[in-house]
Amino acid sequence: MISLHTSPVRRRRLGVATAAAGLLATLLMAGPAAATPDPGDWGAARTGVSAAQEAEAAAAIRNGEVPGVDEIVHSSNITHLANVPKDALKGTNTDLAFQGKYAFAGNYDGFRIFDISNPRSPRTVSQVLCPGSQNDISVSGNLLFLSTDSSRSDNSCTSTTQPATEKSSWEGMKVFDISDKRNPKYVAAVETACGSHTHTLVPERKNVYVYVSSYSPSATFPDCQPPHDGISVIKVPRNAPEKAAVVNFPVLFPDGGNPGAPDNPGVSRTTGCHDITVLPSKDLAAGACMGDGLLFSIKDPENPKIIDRVQDNVNFAFWHSATFNQTTDKVVFTDELGGGGAATCNEEIGPKRGANGIYDIVGRGDHRKLVFRSYFKIDRPQADTEVCVAHNGSIIPVKGRDLMVQAWYQGGVSVWDFTDSSKPKEIGYFERGPVTTDAVTTAGPWSAYYYNGYIYSNDIAKGFDVLKLDDRRTDPAKRVRLDELNVQTQPEYFGR
């Protein structure tokens, strides 16, 4: 058995449950940027704390309950190979995508392309300045897709912030040609209702369908009117991406979805989806939609069909993302309690709120149902100054096991096993200590994904990290090689 605790920290559990690498920076932009992007789904980067909270955080560090400020700790089965700090793009780091020897890293100011052919020394190939939160990112062939979910003056990469109450404001999808990784070209833009907070690709041979998730309409927003009870579907011809256009807006919540408060206090009212994960080989998708979790068919990608819908009005606040296991009989839904701007990994919140929800998929075809089995939350307590939340992760492809790596903001990177969906457990971790003890600060991994034998993490504040996982339970995954990975478009790891 591998010991997880290689440092003196972690003397108590949560609630009742148990380096810089070489850089070659090329900043690319269409013109001078006049503004930084608006925040997306997290609050102010620094929020004051009381003297008592500050003293408690400092005491937790002294007592070995949490790591020291910026101290790196990890389990013995994880090695920290590399860190590449932010460079030209100073905004918040966001999601990741992969293709061949390249990693593509979103940032509120644009995106960055890394050469990861040597995981111990990632090299920056290019950086593209194109502000517009949150710049959720994915790739398919020679195309790169970027989400804009902040109201901009226009669709250019030199746009400025502009109120959503103005009809001329723009939000939506941007498309780049990345056939030359050193010189990506901006080739198309598609405006979508309420912008594009995240997006998911359904790739086909001639076209790429893009499911655009967005939410929070207002009667005062000309391009984001209520009810916003569905998703935008964009069709992008591979050979003519400039012809990309919205082809449908399927209504997913004919009844309006979860009403939220006052009917369900503490639960987000459903006004759209936050994120969707598709499994094209099975014509299946799972949607994390604010107050609702969905299972739906994508046999006809332009017209998704709902199979089942679930709610958790006791412990879930905001359905954030979804992940299938490889055999498609389970879905992990994450809860973004606090909107990605609060300290939620502590004894006050406990082990069930702000956790992952593990659901079995039972039945067949259009009669399948989502059945709740258990919660999983990291049981490594965090300081009350650390924003900690269940965030983006991916499965680790091992036959016969359900393993996942996941980002938890300042809770770090967690590797966990949900083979027994009723008894999930953590089997590895990597994290940094608090950024500070005198303010609530947003930092830590936004995304943590397994790709071709390594874990890659995009830390909101600290940059791009590479981790090596050595464990008899996960080692078989090192033999699985992919040509491309967008985690929200889950591949068929073993049936290719």
Side-chain angles (χ1 to χ4, degrees):
M1 177 63 69
I2 293 178
S3 171
L4 297 185
H5 304 293
T6 59
S7 72
V9 302
R10 305 290 170 245
R11 291 182 184 154
R12 63 181 168 92
R13 294 293 184 182
L14 182 63
V16 298
T18 33
L23 291 178
L24 175 60
T26 305
L27 180 63
L28 304 168
M29 58 182 178
T36 55
D38 294 330
D41 62 349
W42 54 277
R46 296 174 65 88
T47 305
V49 298
S50 67
Q53 288 174 310
E54 183 178 354
E56 184 176 351
I61 292 173
R62 286 196 307 271
N63 295 336
E65 295 171 356
V66 299
V69 172
D70 282 340
E71 178 187 1
I72 291 176
V73 297
H74 54 82
S75 53
S76 60
N77 54 358
I78 288 181
T79 304
H80 188 204
L81 296 183
N83 171 262
V84 184
K86 292 181 184 180
D87 186 52
L89 306 178
K90 304 299 184 183
T92 295
N93 283 330
T94 60
D95 211 3
L96 294 168
F98 305 89
Q99 186 180 85
K101 67 177 184 178
Y102 298 102
F104 304 81
N107 179 286
Y108 272 46
D109 287 339
F111 64 92
R112 188 174 184 177
I113 302 177
F114 294 98
D115 182 334
I116 55 173
S117 53
N118 179 3
R120 294 182 178 273
S121 184
R123 181 173 59 87
T124 300
V125 175
S126 59
Q127 300 181 70
V128 176
L129 181 61
C130 197
S133 68
Q134 51 189 18
N135 280 338
D136 190 50
I137 193 168
S138 57
V139 295
S140 183
N142 288 330
L143 300 179
L144 179 146
F145 301 84
L146 206 63
S147 285
T148 299
D149 192 37
S150 59
S151 186
R152 312 296 298 179
S153 57
D154 55 53
N155 64 11
S156 74
C157 285
T158 57
S159 67
T160 59
T161 57
Q162 182 169 291
T165 52
E166 296 188 21
K167 176 62 179 173
S168 63
S169 296
W170 185 91
E171 299 178 67
M173 287 298 309
K174 295 170 181 168
V175 185
F176 290 78
D177 184 323
I178 53 168
S179 52
D180 180 356
K181 302 297 189 293
R182 293 182 175 273
N183 189 29
K185 300 294 187 183
Y186 185 11
V187 295
V190 181
E191 187 170 13
T192 54
C194 301
S196 175
H197 193 69
T198 66
H199 68 268
T200 304
L201 304 187
V202 184
E204 296 186 338
R205 188 170 62 87
K206 293 184 178 180
N207 304 299
V208 180
Y209 287 96
V210 185
Y211 291 168
V212 175
S213 296
S214 54
Y215 53 92
S216 296
S218 170
T220 65
F221 298 162
D223 298 321
C224 183
Q225 291 282 301
H228 185 71
D229 48 14
I231 58 174
S232 297
V233 180
I234 299 174
K235 183 178 181 180
V236 185
R238 290 189 185 276
N239 293 332
E242 68 278 4
K243 296 182 180 179
V246 175
V247 293
N248 197 11
F249 187 87
V251 173
L252 303 180
F253 304 98
D255 65 352
N258 197 318
D263 294 349
N264 298 316
V267 178
S268 295
R269 181 169 67 93
T270 299
T271 59
C273 289
H274 181 277
D275 211 343
I276 291 169
T277 292
V278 298
L279 195 57
S281 63
K282 298 291 194 297
D283 292 326
L284 203 61
C289 302
M290 304 183 73
D292 293 87
L294 298 180
L295 184 70
F296 53 100
S297 168
I298 57 169
K299 286 182 180 179
D300 178 356
E302 290 189 22
N303 298 282
K305 177 184 177 182
I306 301 300
I307 296 173
D308 195 26
R309 170 179 157 197
V310 290
Q311 297 177 353
D312 180 345
N313 295 319
V314 176
N315 289 309
F316 259 49
F318 187 96
W319 296 67
H320 176 274
S321 54
T323 303
F324 289 103
N325 69 334
Q326 186 55 45
T327 53
T328 329
D329 58 6
K330 298 172 189 173
V331 181
V332 174
F333 288 102
T334 68
D335 177 22
E336 193 181 41
L337 177 67
T344 67
C345 300
N346 52 34
E347 288 186 303
E348 179 183 359
I349 300 299
K352 292 184 179 180
R353 294 172 59 212
N356 297 331
I358 304 168
Y359 286 75
D360 284 352
I361 302 174
V362 300
R364 303 183 69 177
D366 290 348
H367 300 289
R368 283 172 287 191
K369 297 291 183 182
L370 293 166
V371 179
F372 174 78
R373 293 303 185 201
S374 67
Y375 296 105
F376 171 78
K377 187 175 183 179
I378 58 171
D379 61 0
R380 293 170 283 108
Q382 308 298 308
D384 287 338
T385 59
E386 294 182 278
V387 170
C388 176
V389 67
H391 225 242
N392 296 350
S394 73
I395 64 170
I396 300 173
V398 174
K399 286 185 176 180
R401 286 185 179 270
D402 294 322
L403 304 166
M404 187 170 176
V405 58
Q406 185 180 359
W408 286 80
Y409 277 26
Q410 287 192 80
V413 174
S414 175
V415 179
W416 60 290
D417 186 329
F418 63 105
T419 306
D420 182 342
S421 53
S422 296
K423 297 180 180 179
K425 59 183 179 181
E426 184 171 78
I427 63 173
Y429 69 88
F430 168 90
E431 69 168 289
R432 292 178 171 91
V435 173
T436 179
T437 59
D438 62 5
V440 177
T441 307
T442 299
W446 179 287
S447 300
Y449 299 145
Y450 190 92
Y451 177 69
N452 290 355
Y454 296 89
I455 294 171
Y456 296 91
S457 167
N458 211 18
D459 189 290
I460 291 168
K462 301 296 185 181
F464 183 70
D465 287 305
V466 185
L467 309 177
K468 188 170 184 287
L469 175 63
D470 294 297
D471 189 296
R472 58 179 174 76
R473 294 162 289 192
T474 61
D475 284 346
K478 296 176 182 179
R479 298 191 291 269
V480 178
R481 312 299 292 182
L482 299 177
D483 298 324
E484 191 171 272
L485 177 64
N486 301 294
V487 168
Q488 287 74 35
T489 305
Q490 285 190 223
E492 183 71 47
Y493 286 99
F494 305 115
R496 296 175 301 133

